[in-house]
Amino acid sequence: MKIIFDNDATVTEYEEFIDRYAVPFFKRRYGLDVVNPNALELEDIFELKTDSDKMLDSFWVSFRFVQYTLLSRFRPGAAAAIRHFRREGHQVEIHTSRLKTCEGNLVGALARLFTIWQYWLNGVFLPPSHFFFYPDDTEKTAGVMKANPAFVFEDKPCLIKALAEKNVNVFGVRGRHNRDMVPEPHIEFLETYEEKQITQKMEALLGKSALECCNRGAKADRFYRRLFCLQPVIYVLFRPIILHREKIVRRDGRMIYASNHRSTLDPLVITAILKECIHWGALKRFFLAEDSIFNNSKNRLLCKFTAWLFHKLVFFPIERKRDNPKANNFPSIRDMITLLQSGHRIGIFPEGTTRRPDGQEFGDFDDFFIGLAKKTGACIQPISVIWFKDWAGKRMCINFGETISVREKEKNEVMKEFMAIQRELLLESKENLNAMRKDTL
């Protein structure tokens, strides 16, 4: 899952720095007295009105910003907490509103660079792409919402409330400026970054079983990144033909990949092409080591390997009603919803089988995935696959369709749109293959 941290006063010892250096500076240079000792921002502490930008620049656009970023330590336990989340496989991002960091000049470039270095110097080696800078809190709120985090660590009261009102789980990191706030729905407060306290608060916000599911999803993501080195091998083995790669959605948000089903190897190849961990629904017999993804081989080692792999990647065991009238898929559905809501990607094969009636292009598509999308607000990306053989062996042609938004649409309307896209994708794939064969003759 994605976890977002604010920077100033959330991760850094901002209040201590202001008391030690900024307050004496403004008293000495401008003869100002502290008006609001419990405020966070300098303009509020001194109630700056005229020439406030110039006065603030006189303090920050100097060696003091270097002192604050490169020489100051984080709040106790903050760096360890971030490292812990990353070790567990969670994605950590830093979102901060600093006006100077958004300037397109040398000052802006240095401000961004020093902020990144501040984390590196504190032992948190986040890549630059995980830092997001905003000119004000309004744009920051919009950016955080777009990132779709599972949790946000924040200290500003206005941001804590704004995010909680949008159903984002927020940890209010205590400071003198938010001391009067109390826990509310989607809001818990942290006095320290002690690991046990964070875990307890996460359980309070998300629920114990949901948190366990998210942690399993994060470990699966980490496991997938280790397996990603095998992607070239999959490309060499199956030489996939990819149509409309530009339609692959690479954005933060809830996404369900819904594909027709032609081979037990479908999820393996699709996941390699998408380059991210997809949590697929699969028949329960694969988890019981009764079947394998290798052309349904019943070889004992291949079956056990399939079961091990599906568990490691947190696939979801599904039983069909026609196989077991008493099938209970509720635990898998619950986990699908939890992972979608925490920013993970889900994969579904609505046909439920690789077998189709004679003379039909598709089997019977179950509309369960549409209900899942409506429940979580996820978008649906249709995918069409065809397997064929050429002189070198088995190959796949995969075609990506436009994403479908389920908002304000009836279930049958979405299903009709999805099936129309599936037929269009399949026809296009066949035409492409026929043209390719003609070119080789």
Side-chain angles (χ1 to χ4, degrees):
M1 62 187 174
K2 181 178 293 183
I3 301 173
I4 288 177
F5 283 79
D6 169 57
N7 187 58
D8 299 321
T10 297
V11 172
T12 68
E13 291 281 16
Y14 180 82
E15 290 181 343
E16 178 183 309
F17 184 83
I18 292 299
D19 291 343
R20 186 172 181 180
Y21 298 103
V23 171
F25 172 85
F26 279 84
K27 285 183 176 180
R28 182 176 63 254
R29 173 167 289 194
Y30 299 108
L32 297 175
D33 291 322
V34 172
V35 179
N36 299 307
N38 292 330
L40 176 67
E41 306 291 354
L42 285 172
E43 51 265 45
D44 297 324
I45 292 173
F46 293 103
E47 285 193 354
L48 301 180
K49 296 178 181 178
T50 59
D51 296 328
S52 61
D53 290 344
K54 183 177 179 181
M55 295 168 72
L56 291 172
D57 285 352
S58 68
F59 178 77
W60 286 115
V61 187
S62 66
F63 74 94
R64 294 177 187 85
F65 186 74
V66 178
Q67 184 181 22
Y68 172 60
T69 54
L70 303 187
L71 301 179
S72 298
R73 306 297 296 174
F74 282 173
R75 293 181 65 148
I82 295 174
R83 288 194 296 267
H84 169 75
F85 287 135
R86 298 192 72 208
R87 281 196 304 271
E88 291 297 306
H90 300 296
Q91 182 178 344
V92 177
E93 293 180 354
I94 308 300
H95 289 240
T96 180
S97 54
R98 284 179 175 176
L99 181 60
K100 291 298 180 183
T101 60
C102 297
E103 294 183 358
N105 52 26
L106 180 61
V107 171
L110 290 175
R112 293 189 294 272
L113 183 62
F114 287 173
T115 302
I116 296 169
W117 283 356
Q118 183 177 32
Y119 282 77
W120 293 0
L121 290 171
N122 278 275
V124 178
F125 299 101
L126 290 170
S129 61
H130 286 213
F131 290 81
F132 297 83
F133 302 96
Y134 306 94
D136 54 52
D137 290 339
T138 301
E139 290 198 24
K140 176 181 173 180
T141 302
V144 170
M145 290 302 302
K146 185 179 179 181
N148 190 39
F151 294 99
V152 176
F153 287 73
E154 179 60 66
D155 68 282
K156 281 189 180 180
C158 60
L159 289 174
I160 293 173
K161 284 187 171 295
L163 293 171
E165 287 173 358
K166 297 180 183 295
N167 299 322
V168 176
N169 294 319
V170 186
F171 285 114
V173 181
R174 284 296 190 191
R176 62 193 178 202
H177 54 292
N178 61 30
R179 187 59 61 181
D180 295 334
M181 295 186 71
V182 296
E184 298 178 17
H186 297 292
I187 301 175
E188 290 286 343
F189 286 91
L190 291 175
E191 297 291 341
T192 69
Y193 277 99
E194 196 266 326
E195 183 179 330
K196 184 177 179 181
Q197 182 182 160
I198 292 176
T199 301
Q200 290 174 344
K201 300 289 186 179
M202 281 185 164
E203 290 179 355
L205 286 172
L206 202 61
K208 186 173 182 180
S209 61
L211 181 60
E212 290 175 352
C213 179
C214 288
N215 287 333
R216 286 191 291 112
K219 290 178 180 178
D221 289 349
R222 184 178 61 183
F223 177 68
Y224 170 78
R225 289 193 290 271
R226 292 174 179 172
L227 290 180
F228 191 68
C229 60
L230 298 177
Q231 187 204 33
V233 177
I234 294 174
Y235 271 71
V236 169
L237 286 175
F238 302 113
R239 297 163 294 135
I241 298 171
I242 306 170
L243 303 180
H244 299 301
R245 187 191 290 267
E246 74 280 359
K247 292 181 181 178
I248 296 176
V249 177
R250 300 202 182 284
R251 67 179 185 190
D252 294 309
R254 299 164 185 175
M255 182 62 61
I256 297 174
Y257 296 104
S259 174
N260 67 326
H261 205 10
R262 294 295 180 90
S263 168
T264 53
L265 293 171
D266 289 343
L268 183 67
V269 183
I270 294 174
T271 300
I273 292 170
L274 291 171
K275 299 180 181 179
E276 58 183 325
C277 185
I278 310 298
H279 305 282
W280 294 92
L283 293 179
K284 189 175 180 179
R285 66 173 185 262
F286 290 106
F287 296 83
L288 300 176
E290 297 173 354
D291 204 348
S292 79
I293 59 172
F294 303 98
N295 292 323
N296 297 110
S297 170
K298 300 301 189 289
N299 178 279
R300 186 175 180 182
L301 289 178
L302 292 179
C303 289
K304 286 186 174 296
F305 174 77
T306 297
W308 172 81
L309 184 65
F310 281 18
H311 281 101
K312 291 289 286 186
L313 291 173
V314 187
F315 284 13
F316 306 104
I318 301 294
E319 279 194 286
R320 296 176 298 199
K321 290 293 184 182
R322 65 173 179 263
D323 297 332
N324 178 12
K326 297 181 180 180
N328 177 20
N329 293 317
F330 176 75
S332 292
I333 295 172
R334 179 197 61 204
D335 288 348
M336 286 182 183
I337 292 171
T338 297
L339 288 186
L340 276 171
Q341 290 176 336
S342 61
H344 291 265
R345 302 290 204 262
I346 300 298
I348 302 288
F349 295 106
E351 286 180 293
T353 179
T354 58
R355 298 183 177 90
R356 302 180 306 283
D358 292 339
Q360 293 188 22
E361 296 287 2
F362 299 112
D364 295 326
F365 279 74
D366 193 307
D367 62 2
F368 151 74
F369 68 103
I370 299 174
L372 190 63
K374 292 184 74 67
K375 174 76 173 178
T376 61
C379 290
I380 297 170
Q381 179 149 45
I383 300 173
S384 175
V385 297
I386 296 179
W387 288 86
F388 64 100
K389 291 183 178 180
D390 64 7
W391 62 272
K394 202 171 183 182
R395 297 186 66 181
M396 171 197 265
C397 178
I398 178 169
N399 200 347
F400 292 92
E402 293 286 353
T403 57
I404 302 173
S405 175
V406 300
R407 293 179 180 177
E408 300 178 359
K409 293 181 181 178
E410 295 296 328
K411 202 172 184 179
N412 60 345
E413 182 184 356
V414 177
M415 191 63 179
K416 184 177 180 181
E417 182 180 356
F418 173 79
M419 291 306 301
I421 294 175
Q422 277 287 346
R423 293 187 181 94
E424 181 182 335
L425 294 178
L426 186 62
L427 178 61
E428 183 182 22
S429 297
K430 287 185 174 181
E431 290 175 347
N432 185 278
L433 292 179
N434 289 333
M436 184 182 71
R437 291 190 180 105
K438 289 180 182 179
D439 291 341
T440 58
L441 294 178

